[in-house]
Amino acid sequence: MEGRNREARTSEGFARRFRLGDNRNYRYVYRRGKSYPSRNLVLIYLKGREQRFGFSVSSKVGNAVTRNRIRRCLREDVRRMRTQLKCGKYIFIARPALKTVPHEELTRELRSLLARAKLVKEDM
């Protein structure tokens, strides 16, 4: 029973192979990537062969509970959109005003930011 439950959870979750990983990778994307700002988010994108995602929420945004909630919301939205996105390395940076924004509005802003950056596949 546990084995089946674990399989269901990992297939639905945000797999480790899609994570950006350690600090070295973040610095590389920050240095070489292109920035796309919006009201509550900043996207830094670097073209690549595989999809990797990173999320940065500083302590200016709020306490640990707030930061983790925002990170979970961003991760969930990106997980749902992953098949529609072009390959490359993405870093999503939360701005302090994001702490008062509801999840639905965050999802809309994330989608519009990715569309404005032309990172959504056109054949979808």
Side-chain angles (χ1 to χ4, degrees):
M1 188 75 169
E2 268 190 49
R4 210 176 317 150
N5 196 11
R6 184 180 297 144
E7 287 174 18
R9 189 172 58 227
T10 55
S11 65
E12 291 279 323
F14 195 76
R16 187 171 291 281
R17 69 177 181 266
F18 296 117
R19 296 181 190 168
L20 200 52
D22 60 356
N23 190 17
R24 184 173 33 126
N25 294 331
Y26 276 86
R27 285 186 312 206
Y28 183 76
V29 176
Y30 275 125
R31 200 169 46 249
R32 302 228 175 166
K34 183 159 175 28
S35 177
Y36 300 94
S38 73
R39 169 175 249 142
N40 297 311
L41 285 172
V42 177
L43 166 64
I44 299 177
Y45 172 75
L46 181 64
K47 195 173 182 179
R49 283 188 250 159
E50 54 191 19
Q51 285 183 335
R52 298 287 176 148
F53 301 96
F55 305 94
S56 176
V57 185
S58 80
S59 59
K60 293 178 185 178
V61 175
N63 62 12
V65 174
T66 305
R67 292 193 309 268
N68 287 328
R69 180 187 62 82
I70 291 169
R71 203 174 293 117
R72 281 194 308 271
C73 290
L74 284 170
R75 195 179 302 129
E76 176 63 15
D77 292 340
V78 168
R79 182 189 67 82
R80 288 181 178 168
M81 292 184 67
R82 187 171 40 82
T83 57
Q84 303 167 5
L85 297 177
K86 294 183 178 179
C87 289
K89 296 179 181 180
Y90 298 77
I91 296 179
F92 296 94
I93 304 167
R95 290 188 167 169
L98 195 60
K99 65 181 163 193
T100 59
V101 174
H103 186 207
E104 296 79 28
E105 191 175 328
L106 171 61
T107 303
R108 276 194 304 271
E109 185 169 349
L110 180 68
R111 287 184 185 275
S112 68
L113 177 63
L114 288 165
R116 192 165 36 97
K118 297 182 175 100
L119 297 173
V120 180
K121 291 179 185 173
E122 287 141 20
D123 58 309
M124 290 289 177

